[in-house]
Amino acid sequence: MDSLLRFENVSFSYHSEHDSPDGLQPTALSNINVTIRSGEVVAILGHNGSGKSTFAKLCNGIIKPTGGKVYVNGIDTSDDNNLLAVRQVLGMVFQNPDNQLVATVVEEDVAFALENLGVKSEEIRARVDEALEAVGMSEYKEHAPHRLSGGQKQRVAIAGIIAMRPSCIVMDEPTAMLDPEGRREVLETIKKLNSELGITIVIITHHMNEAALCDRVIVMDHGHVLIDDTPRKVFAEYELLKHHSLTVPQTVELTHFAGLPPALTIAECVEQLYTQITGG
Ligand code: ADP
Ligand code: MG
């Protein structure tokens, strides 16, 4: 698989006048090396302040590394002349859908960025329809965004990104403000975008069961990468995760106490416990 997003020795410090004489705060990210390959679904975990949002903002040049380089499809994000190209490859979705919706009608909202880019109107029409279809919101195209549920709003925000036809979407806690139904809707949408459109997904989340469903999990701690592996290997590091104040999916908690390997889904958990209890 090709490298779509590459962090090469990336460090980042937030500037502030109130801090140390050199104006730098302690590093939010220290020497990060991460490569995301085309087609992957990657979860990023870590407690508050571990550097997850800083990582997300570096992905499309909202902020620039204070050390090292970030490449999107081989394009250096630190050069402002590259930002449009970078943002056409890599879209961002944030936590609060209300802050991402700008128009008073759903389809206008999805068209917004395309209009700003000067895309022709027939092309906009086609892309907006395709994007709303991809997130399952076609029937709401003439609705007012502010009257939708949280999950629906977040799917409209995702449609606005899809309309740009990105290769990769980075999402910073896209389900954090949603109820369980909204979370389910958004997660299903994400999985479909990956499996049907081949879009690479990086999702920052506090929900361990969401991470368990990804291809790969990166655990951040104090601005470093603590672990970067498959969910099965990451959740096998039960003691290490607990030591860093992280939780694990309930299915992993249960299998751990039963002395079994980590179960990533309820079905797997039931099967392992059943086999243990029946001795079969
Ligand atoms: P997370 O998303 O994992 O909670 P962040 O990337 O937001 O972590 O924060 C990493 C570190 O950078 C924290 O120590 C945080 O306090 C600091 N930080 C984040 N945003 C800013 C900012 N705008 N100005 C100064 N420091 C910041
Ligand atoms: Mg954050």
Side-chain angles (χ1 to χ4, degrees):
M1 280 192 283
D2 305 329
S3 135
L4 192 54
L5 174 63
R6 192 153 47 97
F7 276 57
E8 234 176 58
N9 302 318
V10 173
S11 298
F12 185 82
S13 302
Y14 288 94
H15 291 260
S16 159
E17 312 91 68
H18 316 292
D19 299 296
S20 53
D22 63 2
L24 293 179
Q25 293 198 329
T27 47
L29 286 185
S30 317
N31 205 35
I32 299 284
N33 285 290
V34 165
T35 299
I36 308 285
R37 289 167 295 269
S38 181
E40 282 189 302
V41 181
V42 181
I44 300 192
L45 301 176
H47 51 73
N48 283 339
S50 58
K52 305 181 301 295
S53 293
T54 304
F55 179 93
K57 285 183 271 180
L58 283 161
C59 289
N60 76 343
I62 297 173
I63 56 177
K64 320 275 191 207
T66 39
K69 291 279 188 192
V70 176
Y71 297 99
V72 172
N73 245 359
I75 311 169
D76 182 351
T77 62
S78 59
D79 183 345
D80 278 341
N81 296 320
N82 293 340
L83 284 188
L84 188 59
V86 163
R87 288 173 189 177
Q88 283 178 338
V89 176
L90 188 145
M92 296 277 295
V93 172
F94 299 95
Q95 190 177 99
N96 188 345
D98 288 321
N99 294 344
Q100 299 171 81
L101 303 177
V102 286
T104 51
V105 179
V106 164
E107 59 185 355
E108 284 170 15
D109 199 280
V110 177
F112 186 76
L114 296 177
E115 275 164 2
N116 283 344
L117 285 174
V119 177
K120 285 210 215 86
S121 57
E122 314 85 84
E123 171 78 9
I124 293 182
R125 179 76 264 158
R127 289 212 207 176
V128 167
D129 288 345
E130 173 193 282
L132 284 171
E133 181 71 33
V135 302
M137 286 296 289
S138 301
E139 63 186 290
Y140 293 92
K141 67 181 177 190
E142 283 161 13
H143 285 229
H146 72 271
R147 303 188 63 171
L148 301 174
S149 71
Q152 290 171 329
K153 283 183 195 169
Q154 196 60 297
R155 281 149 69 202
V156 171
I158 294 171
I161 301 298
I162 298 295
M164 308 277 285
R165 302 220 172 120
S167 307
C168 178
I169 307 182
V170 176
M171 309 196 183
D172 192 355
E173 303 196 33
T175 63
M177 301 185 74
L178 308 181
D179 60 16
E181 170 62 17
R183 281 217 301 275
R184 195 186 54 73
E185 285 171 21
V186 168
L187 273 185
E188 274 179 11
T189 303
I190 293 171
K191 279 194 272 171
K192 192 170 147 220
L193 296 178
N194 176 258
S195 61
E196 294 180 11
L197 301 179
I199 296 176
T200 306
I201 306 280
V202 178
I203 175 172
I204 295 170
T205 181
H206 276 299
H207 295 280
M208 297 295 154
N209 53 335
E210 293 178 2
L213 300 174
C214 296
D215 300 326
R216 176 175 162 198
V217 176
I218 296 173
V219 183
M220 310 269 311
D221 185 62
H222 288 100
H224 292 91
V225 172
L226 183 67
I227 328 178
D228 177 354
D229 215 323
T230 59
R232 200 169 296 284
K233 293 221 172 104
V234 169
F235 290 124
E237 298 290 342
Y238 184 90
E239 306 297 345
L240 180 66
L241 295 171
K242 291 281 159 156
H243 179 72
H244 288 274
S245 318
L246 288 159
T247 58
V248 297
Q250 285 174 319
T251 50
V252 172
E253 199 74 63
L254 248 177
T255 42
H256 179 80
F257 281 107
L260 295 166
L264 299 183
T265 61
I266 291 173
E268 218 180 274
C269 185
V270 168
E271 176 160 350
Q272 288 198 32
L273 291 172
Y274 180 82
T275 308
Q276 191 186 49
I277 291 162
T278 59

